[in-house]
Amino acid sequence: MAKPSATKSSAPARLRIRWVRSVIGYPVRVRQTMRGLGFHRLHEVIERPDTPAIRGMINKVRHLVEVTTPGMEP
């Protein structure tokens, strides 16, 4: 039986994502990706865990969003 690691972080890293550009004129797949991230309206800010799946979704819509980590706000 494997021993639990004593150096696990207490919480996963988070990403703060802000929707800054409209999806009007973009393909349906882009709209579906924005909805899949959890966005409902323009200028909304959401927090998501920093996982490869979320990073891939952000990469597909990187022209529509701004990404920061909590605590990095000006």
Side-chain angles (χ1 to χ4, degrees):
M1 184 177 214
K3 292 183 181 180
S5 175
T7 60
K8 283 186 177 178
S9 63
S10 60
R14 307 281 293 174
L15 295 172
R16 182 165 286 164
I17 312 163
R18 183 170 187 246
W19 185 359
V20 295
R21 262 188 89 164
S22 175
V23 295
I24 293 173
Y26 286 99
V28 172
R29 295 295 298 258
V30 171
R31 296 169 192 250
Q32 291 172 341
T33 302
M34 293 298 284
R35 180 62 66 156
L37 281 168
F39 284 111
H40 295 99
R41 61 189 55 88
L42 194 60
H43 303 294
E44 185 175 7
V45 177
I46 60 172
E47 282 193 22
R48 293 290 173 255
D50 188 4
T51 63
I54 296 295
R55 287 279 182 160
M57 292 171 79
I58 291 169
N59 190 44
K60 291 291 184 183
V61 294
R62 65 186 177 269
H63 52 288
L64 302 176
V65 298
E66 289 178 350
V67 181
T68 59
T69 56
M72 283 185 54
E73 294 82 33

